[in-house]
Amino acid sequence: MGFRVIKTAIATLIAIIIADAFGIEGALSAGLLAILGVDVTRKRSLLTVSSRFFASVMGLLLAFGLFYILGFHIWGLVLYILIAFPLMARAQFKEGIVTSSVVVFRVFGGEELSLHVLLTQVELLLVGLGSAMLVNLIYMPKEENKLSDIRQKIDELFADIFSQIALTLHHPQHVWDGKELIEAGALIDEGLSTAKRALENQLVSPDDSWSVYFYMRKQQLERIESMLELIAQVFQRMPQTDIAAMLFERLSLDVTKAEYTGRTEAMLAEWEQEFKKMELPSTREEFEIRSAVLQICRELAMYLEIAKKDKVPTISKP
């Protein structure tokens, strides 16, 4: 059973008990409004509950006017829908369309227009939506452990990817299916959505370090994909390919570290100086391979620059 279902049940129970205790007519309707008010994050709850409340008040006032002029006829209710729904959407109260329909249909079913009826519907809204918001604000499931697990899996997948790249540079005939890339991409997207949900649950001093981390990995994955396109051009083993492979072997160890070690960056800078001292290629094939390796290293430098800039904020978390 999902925790949201449990919260919905609790909010419904609270709403019905409060409405019944205060003698508000239609206590069960307060429970129905509570069901509509439960949401997935605290910030979203505040926004949607306020939207639902103001949309319902707008709908009630419009419905009272239409029913007073036209009477309690089905076509009057249809006319309300045709007028009210577009107005609510334009007023940015689209989330409140269903909630407003609940209270308006109650008025229509009662076939009575009075200040008492209007206040009763407002009371039901306050009790039902208020109970939902109270339950939402009191507790939301923690996402920290889930985010940490996703991060660990992504780091391990990146380490596997770099190991495969190193193996391919050592042995160009090596065949790799690349499934780690697909898994890493899916986990990054999951991490971004989870981090966004966690951020929306932080009403005081929000911390976006998890979003920074997953966005960093998303950028880095794009650089890795560019590297793989260049690696496809390496069809022969050479001293330069072995040196580049050692860079990725080093990176496969560093990528799982919480901090930016800088070891791969130092090795890359040293190798680039050695590359400039080497003799020029003697054949076209050697030129193409060495050119591809050089481009791979430039992509690697861009990858490391992203890590150097964005990896620090995430390690501040316990």
Side-chain angles (χ1 to χ4, degrees):
M1 183 184 296
F3 189 77
R4 186 176 179 181
V5 176
I6 298 175
K7 288 199 305 178
T8 302
I10 294 172
T12 303
L13 178 62
I14 292 173
I16 293 174
I17 290 175
I18 292 176
D20 187 62
F22 282 90
I24 302 173
E25 297 176 13
L28 292 179
S29 294
L32 177 58
L33 292 168
I35 292 174
L36 297 174
V38 174
D39 222 316
V40 293
T41 67
R42 290 189 175 98
K43 285 185 179 179
R44 186 171 172 180
S45 175
L46 290 172
L47 292 173
T48 55
V49 165
S50 60
S51 175
R52 289 182 175 113
F53 178 78
F54 289 119
S56 299
V57 172
M58 178 192 297
L60 279 171
L61 294 176
L62 177 60
F64 263 65
L66 287 174
F67 297 156
Y68 179 78
I69 296 171
L70 305 175
F72 292 94
H73 302 290
I74 294 296
W75 56 269
L77 193 60
V78 172
L79 184 60
Y80 162 79
I81 294 173
L82 292 174
I83 296 174
F85 287 13
L87 283 177
M88 292 176 191
R90 179 168 293 186
Q92 305 299 317
F93 294 152
K94 188 181 297 184
E95 294 88 351
I97 288 176
V98 175
T99 309
S100 66
S101 299
V102 172
V103 292
V104 169
F105 274 58
R106 270 183 51 82
V107 173
F108 182 84
E111 297 188 356
E112 179 186 350
L113 297 177
S114 66
L115 181 60
H116 171 72
V117 171
L118 179 62
L119 292 178
T120 298
Q121 305 312 312
V122 174
E123 289 172 345
L124 290 172
L125 285 168
L126 290 172
V127 172
L129 296 178
S131 299
M133 186 168 64
L134 178 65
V135 171
N136 279 332
L137 292 177
I138 288 176
Y139 182 77
M140 282 288 179
K142 300 292 185 181
E143 303 284 2
E144 196 71 20
N145 291 337
K146 183 177 180 180
L147 288 166
S148 296
D149 290 341
I150 295 174
R151 172 176 179 163
Q152 182 179 354
K153 291 176 182 177
I154 291 174
D155 289 351
E156 291 172 354
L157 284 169
F158 270 50
D160 292 340
I161 290 169
F162 292 136
S163 295
Q164 291 292 336
I165 290 176
L167 187 59
T168 302
L169 288 170
H170 277 311
H171 307 285
Q173 290 74 33
H174 172 68
V175 178
W176 172 45
D177 58 15
K179 63 181 178 63
E180 290 86 352
L181 285 168
I182 299 174
E183 293 175 9
L187 281 172
I188 289 171
D189 290 339
E190 181 183 354
L192 284 169
S193 62
T194 304
K196 180 182 178 181
R197 187 166 60 248
L199 188 61
E200 288 183 350
N201 278 325
Q202 301 172 31
L203 299 179
V204 181
S205 301
D207 181 8
D208 65 347
S209 58
W210 280 113
S211 296
V212 170
Y213 167 78
F214 289 114
Y215 184 68
M216 173 194 75
R217 287 304 191 208
K218 190 176 185 69
Q219 288 181 304
Q220 289 179 327
L221 191 61
E222 293 174 357
R223 299 268 66 84
I224 292 173
E225 290 170 350
S226 298
M227 293 180 207
L228 293 174
E229 292 178 4
L230 293 166
I231 288 173
Q233 303 174 28
V234 178
F235 53 86
Q236 182 179 337
R237 183 175 184 177
M238 300 176 61
Q240 289 82 3
T241 63
D242 285 336
I243 295 174
M246 287 190 288
L247 289 172
F248 286 99
E249 289 171 349
R250 176 73 262 174
L251 187 56
S252 69
L253 300 176
D254 291 346
V255 74
T256 58
K257 304 294 183 183
E259 72 282 356
Y260 178 75
T261 66
R263 297 190 187 100
T264 307
E265 183 182 15
M267 288 179 63
L268 177 59
E270 181 181 348
W271 184 82
E272 286 178 338
Q273 294 302 316
E274 292 295 325
F275 191 89
K276 294 177 182 178
K277 298 176 183 178
M278 294 179 180
E279 296 182 359
L280 295 175
S282 57
T283 64
R284 181 180 180 85
E285 288 78 9
E286 184 182 355
F287 171 81
E288 291 176 350
I289 294 173
R290 288 176 60 173
S291 176
V293 171
L294 181 59
Q295 290 297 319
I296 291 168
C297 291
R298 287 176 178 170
E299 288 288 344
L300 177 57
M302 295 174 66
Y303 169 95
L304 294 172
E305 188 62 30
I306 294 170
K308 188 176 182 179
K309 177 170 64 73
D310 291 335
K311 203 170 186 180
V312 174
T314 313
I315 65 169
S316 62
K317 299 188 76 66

